[in-house]
C-alpha cells in the first residue's frame, strides 16, 4: 500500500486544486531550467576545451541547424511518430490478446512461447530485405518492426499479471456464481493492468527503436533516415539535431504512456 | 470524529447493542445446513476428517480451532468452491447435494477483505448483484441506501486504498450482505483488525444480524469473540479437523459490552479455553513448512 | 520514477518437464513446417532457405561463424559487464548521496528515452569501428536498464527495515550492503536478464554499421554477397548465443536468489 | 493516362549521385513514357539485386559489376541493362607528405578499404604491381575519415564523390596523393542498372521507356547542375549543398568517361566487364565465369537512338 | 509435533510459567527512561502531544491505545529514529539527551518481524552484533546457544520462509535480545499472530524476560495481553496521544494461563476497557486517509 501511494502522488491526500495545477507546471519549469543549464554548460565546455566539432559540436550550432532547416526534422518527427504509434498500438493490442489466449490455453502457450522467446533474440536489422519483401516500402513495414519489438514484453507481462490474481479473490467471485467471462472482465484483466502498463512503458521505447531501425530499410523521411544520412556524410551537427529530436519524441511518448498509466491504474500495483 | 452524524446506525450499534429481542435458535426446525462424515484430503494432508454439524435457520454458530485445523477448508466446501471427499454427506435446505451445487447459493466472506482496488466502495459492494446479472443502476442505489447502516455514509465513492482497515472490512461485510442468501459464511472477518476496532465491529455485527435475520457460520481464533457472538460455539480439534466440543452459549441477547467480564461469560470461556489448550499445543510447535501461513500476509 | 524499472521479465526458464517437452515440440514443429515450406515451394534462398541447408552451411562455415561468434560474444559480455557495473554504481551513488538523485535520475531517464540505435552514428564516429564502439553501445544499452532496476530495488526496501537497522546503530553504507543490496537483487537480476539478449543484439546491430569482425559483420558481408544461407546461419548462431547467455544469467540468478 | 507502376531501388539514400533519376521524376519524363515511377532509397543492409530479383522493386541502381556478378553467381535472375559509372569510382588516398609515395610503399602500411568489392580492386592493384597483399595491413574501413585525417591510417579508400570531398575539405587537396585503379590497368565499373529476367523478357517497352526517361533526366542534370541539386536537396535538406554540387560534377565525370562519348550514357563496356570478371574469378569471389550474354543486355539501350543517349 | 524434544525450554514456558520469583518493579530506583512534555507533529497531524512517563529499570510496562494514537511514533523517538518536537524532554539513564543519541542504545523490535529472507535464523539474529562490529563467528556461536531457549533448536540454519509466523516472531525477538541493551522496545510483537499462538508466546516471553532481566516497554492493542504481561499499563488517548490512564498491575508473578479468568484480572480489565472505550470511539470512525494503515499489509 505505502509503495503504491508513493508512486502515485495523484492519490496522496492533501494539496488544494490550484496547487495541483501549479505543481506540474513548476516541475516542467524546473526541467526546462535544468535543460538550459545543461546546454549552457555543454556550450562552455566545447568552447573552453576547443573540442573539434567532428567530436562534439556546440549546441548553438545544432539549434541553428534545426532552426534553418526545420522541415526534415519536423517531417521526420511526424513520420517516425506515426510509425511508432501504429506499431505500438498494434503490438500492445496483439500482446494483450495473445496473453489472454495463452492464459486460457496453456498447451498452446507451452507450444508457442519458446518460439516467441527465440524470435526476440533475432536482430531484425539483418532482415531488411525480408521486411521490404513482406511489407513493401511502406509505413507499415516500419510499423511492423515496431510491432515485433512491442508485442513480446506486453504478452509476457499480461500473462504474469493474469497469473498474479489472488486465488482467494477468484474463489470469492466464484462463490457468487461468476462465469469465466465475468471472472476475466471483473477480476483477472483489471488485476493484470498494472503489470501490462509496466510493459507498455517499456514497449513505448522499443516501438521507437523499431521505427527508427525500420527506416534504415530504404526510406526517404524519418528520424532514422536523418541519422543514417548524418552518419554517412559525417554531418555531426545533423546527427545531434536528430538525436535531440528523438530524445524529445521518446521522452514525450514515454511520458504520455506513463500518464495513461497513472490515469488507468490509479490504485497502483498491490504486491 | 467529524463523522459521527454520518453513521448514526453504526454508532448506536457500537455504543449499546440494540434492545429488541434477538432471534432465538430454534433447534426444533429442520436444519438449514447439515454436514456428516465430512472429510477432505489434500494429497498427504488430511485437512478435515469426519466433521459433523447441523445449523438451524437463523442461528449464529461460531467455529474456533487452532491454525491449520481445516476451518477455511470447511468453508470452501460449504461455499461450493471445493468438493469434499467421497463418503461425505452435505445437506442444504433438507436436500443432499454436491458442493458445487452450492455455488451462488451461499453468501461467503473470506479471511481477507479482498476488495477490488479499482472499484469504489459502492461498486465493490454490488459485485455479487452484478454477477447475478442485476441492473447496475438499481444495485448502486440499493447499496447507497445501505451505506449508513454499515458506517460508510459518505464513503461510497472512495477507493479501498483510501479506507482504514476497519472500514474495508465493513465494505466486505456489506458486499456479503448484498448477496442475499439465507446462509452466510464469515471466515475470520475481523482477524486483520486491531483488538479495539474488533470489539466495535462485533457489537455492530450483532446489530446488523439482528435486523437482517440471516443464518451465520462464523470462524474466529478468538475465544472472547466466539462466545460474545455465537448461539453455539464449535471447537475444532487440531488437524485433521473434527468437532472437539460443541457448547451452547445461553447468554441473553442483546449482548452488551460488559458481558465479557461477567461471571457467566468467564465460566463458558474457561470451558472453551480448556478444550482448546491441548489442541493448540499440538499445532503450536509444528514447523512452518506444514502449517498454513495465513498469519503471514503475502 | 522507480516505476521505469524493467519489471518485465522474459520468463525465467523455470520449466517442468512437460512444459519443456511442449516447448521442444513447438520448436520442432516450427522447424519442420519451415523446412516443408522451403522445400515444398522450392523457395529460393533469398526468400527463405531450408533449415537443413542453413544447418549444413553452419557446419561448413563453422570456423568463420565460431570466430565471429567469439568476437560478438566478447563485445557483448565486456560491454555487459561494464554497463552493469556503471548501472549499479550510479544507483549506489544516488542511494548514498541522495542529493545527486535530482540530477542523475532525470538525466538518466532522458538519455534512456533515446533509442540506443540513435547513438550508434555518434559512437561509431567517436570510438571507431573496432571493439570499443561495441563496448560503449552495449554498455549504454545495459547500464540504464540495470541502473533503473537496481535503483527501483534499492528504493523498494521497507522503510521499517531501514529503521530497524538504524536502531542498531547502522550507517548508510551498512544499510546499503546488508539490506538494500540483497533486497534489490531480484529486480536487479530481472534487469540483468533482459539485458543479456539486448547486449548481443546491440553488438550485432553496431557491427552491421561498421566492424572488423563479428556476427553482424558476417551478416553484412553475406547480404552484400547475396549469401542468404550464410545470413541465416549467422542469425542462428546469434540466437543460440543469446539464449545461452540468457540461460546462464537465469541460472546464476536462481542460484543466488534462493529465497524468492 | 494509363500509367504503369514501377519502382527504382537505389543503392543508397538520396544524393546527387542519383540526381538524373530524381530530375526525370520531377520533370515528368517517366510519366511521358507511361511510367509511374517511385524511387526507393537503399539502406545499410539492403541489396538492390535481391529486391529486384524477388519482384519487390522493378528497377535497381545497384552496387556495381561486383554485386551483379555475385547475384548471377548465386542464380539470382537479374539482368544488367546499363552501367552508370564507367570508371572505378573510388581512389586510394595517402598524405602527400606521408611515407606512401608509390604503390610500392603500401607494403607494411595500414590501408583501409571496403570489403564490398573495393578490397578486390586493391588486391588486384597490389598484385599487378608485384606486391603480395599479405604484406599490406588491409582493414575494413569505417564510415568516418577521421582516422585517416588524424594519421592513424596510411591509405584510405575514397569515392571520388563522397569521402574524397570530406577529406579534401578537412585537409586541403594539396595535402593528398591519390592512386587510381585505371593506372594499373584495372577498371571497376559501378552503379549498374538492373531488372529481373522476367521484366526484361515480358516488359521490354517498360525498360526502354525507363532508360529513355532516365537518360533525359541525367542530361538535364548535367546541363543544369544547380537545378538538379535543388531537386535532390528538396528531398534531403540536411545534405550539404557544396558537397552535393561537387558530387554531381564527379558523377558526371564518371558517367561520361570511357566510351560514353561515342556510345552514349549507361553504355555497357564489355571489355571492362571482362576485366572485372577475370578479377573476380581470380580472387575466387565468384565460383565460375557467369553467362555474360544472359547477364548483360544492351538491347534496351540500343533501341534508343544513339543521338539521344550521347551526353 | 515431532519437535517437542527440540524445544524443551519453550514447552516448559508455554505449559506453565516458570516458578522462580519475578523481579519486582522497583519504583524507588531512579528511572531508566523519562519522557516529559513529549510531542511530535507530522505536518498538520499531531501524533503525540505532551506524553509523560517514567520507566524504572527492570520494569515491564505495556502501552495500549487506539490505532493511530502515536504509539509507534513514541517508540521511534525512544529508539532514536525520530527527533521529538522542540520543548520535549527525554532523559535516559538520568541524563537529558537528544533522540538520535539513543541510536544503538536501545533494543527495538518493530511491529513486523522484518526478517531478512536471505539470511538464516542464526544470521538474522546476529545482525545487531554484526553492525556493532563483533566477530561473526563468536556471534554465531552465541546465537546457536540461545536457539533452544527461543524454541528454535534445530532451526538455526533454516531460512525465514521455511518458518511459521510464530517462529518468525521468535527469531525477531531473539534478534532483539541479542542486541544487549538495558531497555527493550517491543512494538506489537504478537500483533500478526493468531490468538492461540499469541497466548503461547505471551507466557513464553514472560519466562524469557524473567531470565534475562531487561526493562521492557511493550505496545499492544490487546487488553488481555497488556494486563497479563505488564507491571504497569499505560492507556493512551486517541490522537494526539497522551497518557489517559496509568494502572499498576499488582497481580502476582509468575503468571499462569488461568490468570485471565481470575476475578482480580477481570477487575483490572474492566477499568482499562472503560478507559479505552471512549478513546476507541473517537478514532473508530475516522477515515483511512488520516488513520495509519498498519493493519493492511502491503
Ligand atoms: N488447496 C490446498 N492444497 C493443499 N493443502 C491445503 C489446501 N488448502 C488447505 N490445505 C491444507 O489443509 C490444512 C487446513 O487448512 P485450512 O486453511 O483449512 O486451515 P484453517 O483452519 O483455516 O487455518 P487458519 O486458522 O490458519 O486460517 C492446512 O494444513 C493446509 O496447509
Ligand atoms: N512519518 C510520518 N509522516 C507523517 N505522518 C505520520 C508519520 N508517522 C506517523 N504518522 C501519523 O502519526 C499518527 C500516529 O501514528 P503511529 O504509527 O505512531 O500510530 P500507532 O499508535 O502506532 O498506530 P497503530 O496502533 O495502528 O500501529 C498517525 O496519524 C500517522 O498517520
Ligand atoms: C564501394 C563502396 N563500398 C562502400 C562504401 C561506403 N558506403 C557508402 S554508403 C554505404 C552503406 C551502404 O552500402 C557504405 C558502406 C562506398 N562508398 N563505396
Ligand atoms: Mg483459515
Ligand atoms: Mg504502530
Amino acid at each position: 500500500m505505502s509503495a503504491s501511494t508513493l508512486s502515485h502522488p495523484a492519490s496522496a491526500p492533501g494539496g488544494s486544486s490550484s496547487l495541483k495545477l501549479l505543481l506540474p507546471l513548476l516541475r516542467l519549469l524546473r526541467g526546462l531550467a535544468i535543460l538550459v543549464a545543461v546546454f549552457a554548460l555543454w556550450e562552455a565546455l566545447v568552447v573552453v576545451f576547443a573540442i573539434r566539432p567532428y567530436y562534439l559540436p556546440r549546441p548553438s550550432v545544432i539549434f541553428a541547424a534545426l532552426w534553418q532547416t526545420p522541415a526534415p526534422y519536423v517531417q521526420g518527427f511526424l513520420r517516425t511518430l506515426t510509425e511508432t504509434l501504429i506499431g505500438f498500438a498494434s503490438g500492445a493490442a496483439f500482446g494483450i490478446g495473445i496473453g489472454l489466449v495463452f492464459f486460457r490455453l496453456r498447451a498452446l502457450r507451452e507450444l508457442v512461447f519458446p518460439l516467441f522467446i527465440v524470435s526476440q533474440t533475432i536482430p531484425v536489422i539483418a532482415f531488411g530485405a525480408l521486411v521490404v519483401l513482406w511489407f513493401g516500402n511502406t509505413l507499415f513495414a516500419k510499423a511492423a518492426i515496431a510491432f515485433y519489438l512491442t508485442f513480446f514484453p506486453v504478452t509476457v507481462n499480461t500473462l504474469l499479471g493474469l497469473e498474479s490474481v489472488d486465488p482467494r479473490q477468484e474463489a470469492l467471485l466464484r462463490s457468487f456464481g461468476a462465469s469465466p467471462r465475468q471472472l476475466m472482465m471483473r477480476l483477472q484483466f483489471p488485476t493484470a493492468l498494472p503489470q501490462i502498463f509496466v510493459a507498455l512503458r517499456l514497449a513505448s521505447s522499443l516501438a521507437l527503436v523499431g521505427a527508427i531501425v525500420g527506416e534504415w530499410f530504404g526510406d526517404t523521411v524519418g528520424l532514422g533516415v536523418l541519422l543514417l544520412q548524418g552518419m554517412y556524410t559525417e554531418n555531426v551537427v545533423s546527427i545531434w539535431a536528430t538525436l535531440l529530436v528523438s530524445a524529445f519524441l521518446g521522452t514525450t511518448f514515454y511520458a504520455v504512456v506513463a500518464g495513461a498509466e497513472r490515469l488507468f491504474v490509479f490504485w497502483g500495483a498491490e504486491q | 470524529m467529524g463523522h459521527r452524524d454520518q453513521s448514526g446506525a453504526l454508532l448506536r450499534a457500537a455504543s449499546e447493542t440494540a434492545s429488541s429481542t434477538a432471534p432465538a435458535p430454534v433447534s426444533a426446525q429442520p436444519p438449514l445446513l447439515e454436514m456428516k462424515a465430512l472429510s477432505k484430503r489434500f494429497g498427504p494432508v488430511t485437512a478435515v476428517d469426519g466433521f459433523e454439524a447441523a445449523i438451524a435457520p437463523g442461528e449464529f454458530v461460531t467455529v474456533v480451532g487452532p491454525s491449520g485445523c481445516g476451518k477455511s477448508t470447511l468453508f470452501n466446501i460449504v461455499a461450493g468452491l471445493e468438493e469434499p471427499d467421497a463418503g461425505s454427506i452435505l445437506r442444504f435446505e433438507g436436500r443432499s447435494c454436491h458442493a458445487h451445487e452450492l455455488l451462488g447459493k451461499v453468501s461467503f466472506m473470506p479471511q481477507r477483505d479482498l476488495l477490488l482496488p479499482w472499484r469504489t466502495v459502492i461498486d465493490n459492494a454490488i459485485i455479487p448483484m452484478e454477477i447475478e446479472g442485476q441492473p447496475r443502476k438499481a444495485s448502486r442505489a440499493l447499496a447507497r441506501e445501505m451505506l449508513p447502516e454499515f458506517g460508510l455514509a459518505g464513503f461510497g465513492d472512495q477507493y479501498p486504498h483510501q479506507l482504514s482497515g476497519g472500514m474495508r472490512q465493513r465494505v466486505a461485510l456489506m458486499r456479503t450482505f448484498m448477496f442475499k442468501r439465507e446462509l452466510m459464511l464469515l471466515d475470520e472477518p475481523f482477524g486483520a483488525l486491531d483488538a479495539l476496532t474488533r470489539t466495535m465491529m462485533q457489537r455492530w455485527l450483532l446489530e446488523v444480524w439482528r435486523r437482517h435475520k440471516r443464518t451465520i457460520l462464523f470462524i474466529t481464533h478468538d475465544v472472547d469473540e466466539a462466545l460474545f457472538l455465537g448461539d453455539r460455539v464449535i471447537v475444532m480439534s487440531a488437524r485433521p479437523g473434527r468437532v472437539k466440543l460443541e457448547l451452547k452459549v445461553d447468554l441473553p441477547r442483546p449482548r452488551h459490552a460488559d458481558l465479557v467480564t461477567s461471571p457467566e461469560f468467564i465460566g463458558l470461556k474457561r470451558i472453551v479455553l480448556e478444550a482448546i489448550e491441548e489442541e493448540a499445543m499440538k499445532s503450536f510447535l509444528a514447523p512452518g513448512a506444514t502449517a498454513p501461513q495465513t498469519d503471514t500476509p503475502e | 520514477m522507480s516505476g521505469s524499472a524493467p519489471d518485465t521479465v522474459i520468463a525465467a526458464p523455470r520449466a517442468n518437464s512437460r512444459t519443456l517437452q511442449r516447448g521442444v515440440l513447438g520448436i520442432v514443429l516450427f522447424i519442420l513446417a519451415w523446412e516443408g515450406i522451403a522445400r515444398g515451394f522450392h523457395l529460393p534462398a533469398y526468400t527463405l532457405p531450408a533449415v537443413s541447408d542453413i544447418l549444413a552451411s553452419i557446419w561448413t562455415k563453422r570456423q568463420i561463424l565460431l570466430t565471429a561468434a567469439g568476437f560478438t560474444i566478447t563485445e557483448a559480455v565486456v560491454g555487459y559487464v561494464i554497463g552493469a557495473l556503471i548501472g549499479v554504481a550510479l544507483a549506489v551513488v544516488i542511494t548514498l548521496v541522495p542529493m545527486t538523485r535530482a540530477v542523475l535520475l532525470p538525466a538518466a531517464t532522458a538519455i534512456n528515452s533515446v533509442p540506443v540505435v540513435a547513438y550508434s552514428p555518434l559512437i561509431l564516429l567517436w570510438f571507431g569501428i573496432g571493439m570499443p564502439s561495441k563496448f560503449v553501445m552495449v554498455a549504454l544499452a545495459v547500464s540504464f536498464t540495470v541502473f533503473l532496476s537496481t535503483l527501483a530495488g534499492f528504493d523498494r526496501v521497507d522503510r521499517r527495515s531501514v529503521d530497524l537497522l538504524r536502531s542498531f546503530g547502522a550507517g548508510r553504507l551498512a544499510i546499503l550492503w546488508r539490506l538494500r543490496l540483497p533486497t534489490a537483487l531480484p529486480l536487479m537480476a530481472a534487469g540483468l536478464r533482459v539485458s543479456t539478449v539486448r547486449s548481443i543484439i546491440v553488438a550485432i546491430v553496431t557491427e552491421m554499421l561498421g566492424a572488423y569482425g563479428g556476427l553482424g559483420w558476417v551478416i553484412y558481408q553475406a547480404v552484400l554477397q547475396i549469401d542468404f544461407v550464410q545470413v541465416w546461419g549467422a542469425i542462428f548462431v546469434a540466437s543460440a548465443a543469446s539464449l545461452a547467455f540468457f540461460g546462464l544469467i537465469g541460472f546464476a540468478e536462481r542460484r543466488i536468489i534462493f529465497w524468492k | 493516362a494509363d500509367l504503369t507502376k514501377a519502382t527504382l531501388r537505389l543503392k543508397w539514400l538520396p544524393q546527387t549521385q542519383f540526381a538524373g533519376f530524381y530530375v526525370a521524376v520531377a520533370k515528368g519524363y517517366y510519366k511521358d513514357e507511361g511510367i509511374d515511377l517511385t524511387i526507393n532509397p537503399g539502406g545499410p543492409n539492403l541489396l538492390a539485386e535481391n529486391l529486384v530479383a524477388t519482384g519487390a522493386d522493378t528497377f535497381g541502381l545497384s552496387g556495381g559489376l561486383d554485386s551483379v556478378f555475385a547475384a548471377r553467381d548465386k542464380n539470382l535472375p537479374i539482368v544488367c541493362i546499363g552501367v552508370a559509372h564507367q570508371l572505378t569510382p573510388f581512389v586510394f588516398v595517402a598524405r602527400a607528405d606521408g611515407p606512401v609515395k608509390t604503390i610500392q610503399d603500401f607494403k607494411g602500411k595500414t590501408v583501409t578499404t571496403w570489403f564490398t568489392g573495393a578490397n578486390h580492386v586493391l588486391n588486384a592493384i597490389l598484385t599487378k604491381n608485384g606486391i603480395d597483399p599479405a604484406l599490406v595491413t588491409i582493414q575494413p574501413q569505417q564510415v568516418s575519415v577521421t582516422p585517416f585525417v588524424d594519421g592513424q591510417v596510411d591509405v584510405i579508400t575514397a569515392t571520388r564523390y563522397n569521402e574524397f570531398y570530406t577529406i579534401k575539405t578537412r585537409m586541403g587537396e594539396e595535402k593528398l596523393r591519390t592512386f587510381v585503379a585505371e593506372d594499373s590497368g584495372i577498371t571497376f565499373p559501378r552503379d549498374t542498372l538492373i531488372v529481373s529476367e522476367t521484366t526484361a523478357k515480358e516488359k521490354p517497352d517498360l525498360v526502354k521507356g525507363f532508360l529513355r526517361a532516365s537518360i533525359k533526366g541525367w542530361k538535364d542534370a548535367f546541363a543544369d547542375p544547380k537545378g538538379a541539386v535543388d531537386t535532390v536537396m528538396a528531398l534531403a535538406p540536411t545534405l550539404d549543398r557544396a558537397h552535393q554540387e561537387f558530387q554531381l560534377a564527379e558523377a558526371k565525370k564518371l558517367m561520361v568517361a570511357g566510351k560514353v562519348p561515342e556510345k552514349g550514357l549507361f553504355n555497357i563496356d564489355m571489355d571492362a566487364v571482362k576485366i572485372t570478371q577475370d578479377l573476380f574469378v581470380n580472387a575466387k569471389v565468384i565460383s565460375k565465369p557467369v553467362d555474360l550474354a544472359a547477364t548483360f543486355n544492351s538491347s534496351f539501350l540500343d533501341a534508343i537512338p544513339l543521338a539521344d543517349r550521347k551526353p
Side-chain angles (χ1 to χ4, degrees), chain D residues 123-161:
Chain D
N123 281 340
I125 293 174
L126 292 174
T127 314
K128 273 267 168 70
N129 289 276
I131 303 164
D132 180 0
L135 297 177
V136 181
T137 311
I138 302 176
Q139 287 183 347
Q141 181 165 314
Q142 62 190 23
V143 175
S144 173
V145 297
T146 304
F148 174 76
V149 175
D150 290 352
Q152 294 157 23
V153 166
D154 298 306
V155 181
I156 185 175
T157 314
T159 52
R160 293 168 179 273
Y161 47 81

Side-chain angles (χ1 to χ4, degrees), chain A residues 16 21 58 69 77 97 107 124 130 133 156 166 175 207 223 246 255 259:
Chain A
S16 67
L21 274 174
R58 284 168 24 208
T69 50
F77 177 86
V124 233
L130 279 188
L133 215 64
V156 170
D166 187 337
S175 87
L223 298 178
S246 306

Side-chain angles (χ1 to χ4, degrees), chain B residues 147-246:
Chain B
L147 284 178
E149 183 178 357
F150 284 77
L152 293 165
F155 287 91
D157 300 319
Q158 304 277 63
Y159 286 91
H161 68 260
Q162 300 171 299
L163 305 181
S164 69
M167 296 185 109
R168 292 173 62 110
Q169 218 59 26
R170 291 204 290 276
V171 178
L173 265 168
M174 179 164 158
R175 179 184 60 198
T176 316
F177 270 93
M178 292 207 69
F179 192 50
K180 291 220 170 60
R181 296 296 180 271
E182 173 82 49
L183 178 61
M184 286 178 61
L185 306 178
L186 307 183
D187 191 350
E188 274 197 79
F190 308 140
L193 302 181
D194 68 75
L196 300 177
T197 312
R198 196 164 174 157
T199 51
M200 298 291 149
M201 294 290 293
Q202 290 163 4
R203 300 182 222 168
W204 167 82
L205 175 64
L206 283 186
E207 163 67 10
V208 175
W209 172 64
R210 185 189 60 79
R211 260 180 290 123
H212 286 261
K213 302 213 190 305
R214 309 272 186 91
T215 310
I216 293 183
L217 203 54
F218 186 109
I219 288 180
T220 176
H221 271 117
D222 190 300
V223 178
D224 277 16
E225 184 168 271
L227 288 166
F228 184 74
L229 295 176
D231 295 319
R232 195 150 45 102
V233 176
I234 294 177
V235 180
M236 283 178 75
S237 67
R239 201 178 56 231
R242 57 171 67 107
V243 178
K244 164 120 188 157
L245 170 77
E246 239 189 283

Side-chain angles (χ1 to χ4, degrees), chain D:
Chain D
D2 225 15
L3 297 181
T4 311
K5 276 203 177 300
T7 61
L8 166 65
R9 176 68 63 176
L10 300 180
K11 65 194 282 187
W12 193 239
L13 300 172
Q15 50 187 355
T16 51
Q17 182 185 0
F18 318 114
F21 303 107
Y22 285 110
V23 169
V25 169
K27 296 201 170 175
Y29 294 161
Y30 294 108
K31 286 217 171 71
D32 297 344
E33 301 288 340
I35 305 170
D36 176 12
L37 187 84
T38 307
I39 298 181
N40 289 329
N45 209 28
L46 286 182
L47 194 75
E49 276 80 1
N50 184 23
L51 293 169
V52 169
T54 52
D57 288 298
T58 329
F59 301 98
L61 181 85
S62 69
L65 291 186
D66 46 337
S67 59
V68 169
F69 278 123
R72 292 297 301 196
D73 190 48
K74 293 287 189 313
N75 298 320
L76 259 64
I78 53 113
V79 182
C80 175
I81 55 166
V83 175
H85 294 174
Q86 304 292 324
L87 300 176
T88 312
F90 44 79
V91 291
F92 298 93
V93 186
R95 305 167 164 272
D97 57 357
V100 180
K101 307 259 188 262
T102 66
I103 299 274
Q104 294 303 323
D105 295 331
F106 278 35
K107 257 185 282 187
K109 301 296 188 306
T110 304
V111 181
T112 63
T113 194
W114 302 298
F115 278 51
T116 50
N119 54 331
H120 304 304
V121 176
L122 175 61
N123 281 340
I125 293 174
L126 292 174
T127 314
K128 273 267 168 70
N129 289 276
I131 303 164
D132 180 0
L135 297 177
V136 181
T137 311
I138 302 176
Q139 287 183 347
Q141 181 165 314
Q142 62 190 23
V143 175
S144 173
V145 297
T146 304
F148 174 76
V149 175
D150 290 352
Q152 294 157 23
V153 166
D154 298 306
V155 181
I156 185 175
T157 314
T159 52
R160 293 168 179 273
Y161 47 81
N162 251 345
E163 289 80 3
F164 191 73
Y165 177 83
T166 314
I167 301 171
K168 186 172 73 118
T169 45
R170 280 171 68 173
M171 297 175 69
E173 193 162 9
E174 70 286 354
K175 296 263 176 64
L176 304 176
R177 186 192 308 283
T178 56
F179 300 91
V180 178
E182 276 70 12
D183 293 348
S184 303
I186 291 159
T187 293
F188 191 64
R190 297 207 84 213
D191 288 32
T192 37
L193 279 174
I194 55 167
V195 295
S196 68
E197 282 180 352
T198 323
T199 308
K201 200 177 297 160
E202 292 171 4
K203 297 175 182 165
D205 291 336
L206 178 71
V207 179
K208 282 177 212 158
F210 169 78
L211 281 174
R212 205 161 26 229
S214 301
I215 290 170
K216 262 176 100 178
W218 272 108
K219 283 175 33 179
D220 281 10
F222 293 157
D224 174 20
K226 282 234 167 344
V229 172
D230 284 342
T231 305
V232 172
M233 288 206 43
L235 290 163
T238 55
L239 294 177
D240 177 64
R241 173 167 277 276
H243 182 181
Q244 292 304 309
E245 283 171 357
F246 176 85
Q247 181 168 86
L248 182 54
E250 287 299 307
K252 179 177 181 185
K253 283 187 209 159
L254 292 167
M255 288 179 74
V256 302
K259 297 173 183 157
V260 167
E262 308 95 65
K263 303 215 161 162
L265 287 165
F266 292 107
N267 174 51
I268 304 175
D269 180 355
M270 289 311 286
D271 296 337
V273 167
K274 280 179 197 124
I275 294 175
T276 310
Q277 166 157 274
D278 290 346
L279 195 151
F280 281 147
V281 174
N282 288 339
K284 297 202 171 55
V285 180
I286 53 176
S287 48
K288 55 187 184 307
V290 302
D291 179 355
L292 290 182
T295 308
F296 296 92
N297 186 342
S298 290
S299 70
F300 305 104
L301 273 175
D302 294 341
I304 302 167
L306 182 58
D308 291 350
R309 288 186 274 141
K310 282 197 181 170

